Amino acid sequence: MAADPTEDPLSGAALDTLAVRAGQVRGPEGEHSEALFLTSSYVFANAAEAAARFSGEVEGNVYSRYTNPSVRTFEQRIAALEGADQAVATASGMAAILSTCMALLRAGDHLVCSRSVFGTTTVLLNKFLAKFGVATTFVELTDIDAWREAIEPNTRLLLLETPSNPLCEIGDLAALADLARSRGVLLAVDNCFCTPALQRPLDWGADIVIHSATKYLDGQGRCLGGVVLGRAELMAEVLGFIRSAGPSLSPFNAWVFTKGLETLRLRMEAHSAAAQALAEWLAEHPAVERVFYAGLPGHPGHELARRQQRAFGGVLSFRVRGGREQAWQVIDATRILSLTANLGDAKTTIVHPATTTHGRLGDAEKARAGITENLIRVAVGLEALDDIRGDLARGLDAL
Ligand SMILES: *Cc1c(COP(=O)(O)O)cnc(C)c1O
């Protein structure tokens, strides 16, 4: 039987196929790899076409602040992977969070946010959104009663990350989506740590997914970018904000992310397998007090993570026996690992959260968040596991 030419050949395709092919539009050159459209604006055939494009009567590119073919390819490909109607790309992960809030909230609105989100997200909400009359209540990610009690009549949005950074706590997406739906509020999930290769929050009932594409979507630490995904009517609001405010994704960065998506699942599986092996090894090491990784059966979120994730991801943390001095000794003894706060890279990174990523927190807040002086976070890259283990063993064996 002849194929129906009107049917999308990718409809029903598996994630691996979508990751490599979704969103590609071939030009007249027949290029095999996706072309890069490094242009700020577009020309029109005549004045009438210019008028029709500007008014939106005829679809087409006008200006790269709001439409660009390379950005659109990335948006369509990540939307296919997350199972979203639509995606809107942004200049960074923070721009994605800001654009979501600016598009969907107004003065007098309230949001509830997990206490264990990316530190800059907390600053954005407390310092900047608060200035415009949007208040935030912070709750424990894993305490569903706390989420329920924090919802006020003016609450519009619940915001969280799962797994959390750096302790890998797991939020119950289905339960939080039920709660959001029953109270008429939106659930937004920052899916940066898992990516759609490991977890698809929309499948569990979330309304919005947010990414820092800077991390695993790129996967090699080259470009900043972000993306917001969800239903078309919500994304139209987000795109409207980007169009007017300008935190748009560069076409070059979009092209890098598009190519990054092609290897996303393979990388996430490799990161996860190496992190699992490293967590198991650390848990047995006499100089290690405790390991935080949802792939370990003793972790409180293990069963939940098994249910809602395909694998446990590449980030883990552990407490050494001792305090800051011992933690710093282990970090300073490494010769291969990169001492940097970044993650989601082919290169393994190591950091001391209490004095870097979480250094802004007061002592009481650190204690409540479990950010102790002896805690080390590792974002496992793609080097040989023996070399990563050997690099950590040098400091740990000397303690
Ligand atoms: C890095 C990060 C962000 C911010 O992304 P940028 O691209 O650096 O702006 C937001 N959320 C999480 C979970 C992150 O790790």
Side-chain angles (χ1 to χ4, degrees):
M1 215 173 73
D4 175 357
T6 62
E7 197 197 331
D8 178 357
L10 294 177
S11 79
L15 191 109
D16 285 349
T17 308
L18 296 171
V20 173
R21 296 196 175 266
Q24 183 169 17
V25 181
R26 281 211 178 93
E29 302 293 343
E31 70 280 0
H32 188 207
S33 178
E34 294 72 4
L36 168 56
F37 291 88
L38 210 48
T39 181
S40 53
S41 63
Y42 306 86
V43 294
F44 313 107
N46 51 52
E49 191 193 49
R53 290 246 204 116
F54 266 84
S55 71
E57 202 178 301
V58 170
E59 263 192 55
N61 296 307
V62 174
Y63 192 53
S64 285
R65 187 175 348 97
Y66 45 100
T67 62
N68 172 281
S70 295
V71 175
R72 192 177 317 117
T73 294
F74 167 60
E75 289 171 337
Q76 291 184 351
R77 189 165 293 182
I78 184 73
L81 298 185
E82 285 284 10
D85 277 357
Q86 222 163 298
V88 180
T90 59
S92 66
M94 290 321 303
I97 297 169
L98 173 68
S99 301
T100 303
C101 292
M102 292 300 279
L104 303 177
L105 303 175
R106 65 182 65 232
D109 283 349
H110 171 251
L111 62 91
V112 185
C113 184
S114 161
R115 221 187 289 285
S116 42
V117 288
F118 187 63
T120 312
T121 304
T122 309
V123 176
L124 175 69
L125 299 176
N126 277 340
K127 185 159 177 206
F128 294 100
L129 281 185
K131 266 203 325 197
F132 296 92
V134 174
T136 305
T137 302
F138 291 91
V139 297
E140 294 303 324
L141 172 65
T142 55
D143 185 351
I144 190 84
D145 293 331
W147 287 90
R148 187 177 299 112
E149 283 156 24
I151 296 177
E152 305 282 344
N154 60 338
T155 304
R156 280 278 292 150
L157 187 71
L158 311 183
L159 176 63
L160 62 103
E161 291 165 22
T162 179
S164 73
N165 176 17
L167 295 187
C168 302
E169 302 153 304
I170 306 294
D172 187 332
L173 292 176
L176 288 159
D178 272 351
L179 174 64
R181 202 174 314 108
S182 74
R183 303 293 289 271
V185 303
L186 296 170
L187 174 63
V189 178
D190 181 332
N191 199 27
C192 170
F193 272 50
C194 273
T195 82
L198 302 188
Q199 168 175 278
R200 301 210 315 173
L202 299 177
D203 291 347
W204 296 97
D207 300 284
I208 296 162
V209 170
I210 294 169
H211 280 282
S212 167
T214 313
K215 312 291 169 50
Y216 290 107
L217 303 192
D218 176 335
Q220 295 177 57
R222 295 161 293 193
C223 293
L224 269 100
V227 63
V228 187
L229 304 106
R231 297 191 287 281
E233 76 266 18
L234 296 176
M235 293 310 105
E237 298 294 320
V238 176
L239 182 60
F241 175 74
I242 307 263
R243 180 172 179 157
S244 300
S248 324
L249 181 62
S250 146
F252 178 79
N253 293 9
W255 178 83
V256 170
F257 298 146
T258 293
K259 303 310 286 180
L261 291 179
E262 296 184 357
T263 56
L264 180 66
R265 190 183 61 82
L266 294 174
R267 287 186 286 107
M268 293 312 292
E269 282 179 7
H271 286 299
S272 300
Q276 180 76 37
L278 195 66
E280 288 169 7
W281 173 77
L282 285 166
E284 295 296 315
H285 197 287
V288 173
E289 185 181 288
R290 181 160 175 201
V291 182
F292 300 88
Y293 185 64
L296 296 179
H299 186 282
H302 179 66
E303 284 306 320
L304 183 56
R306 268 168 56 113
R307 200 155 64 233
Q308 68 189 24
Q309 299 175 206
R310 284 204 206 184
F312 300 101
V315 180
L316 61 84
S317 61
F318 61 99
R319 291 191 182 135
V320 296
R321 295 198 190 282
R324 178 188 295 192
E325 191 188 326
Q326 287 70 25
W328 281 18
Q329 276 173 20
V330 171
I331 291 169
D332 289 343
T334 60
R335 293 191 200 136
I336 296 174
L337 273 47
S338 311
L339 174 50
T340 169
N342 199 32
L343 60 95
D345 198 295
K347 296 175 171 67
T348 298
T349 66
I350 187 166
V351 74
H352 184 242
T355 49
T356 59
T357 54
H358 294 69
R360 259 188 306 250
L361 301 183
D363 287 346
E365 277 179 286
K366 272 187 205 163
R368 187 167 55 187
I371 312 297
T372 51
E373 290 288 337
N374 60 348
L375 186 75
I376 294 173
R377 187 196 75 191
V378 175
V380 183
L382 302 176
E383 304 95 337
L385 183 59
D386 274 349
D387 291 330
I388 301 172
R389 253 191 315 238
D391 216 33
L392 286 168
R394 193 174 306 108
L396 285 170
D397 292 351
L399 287 187

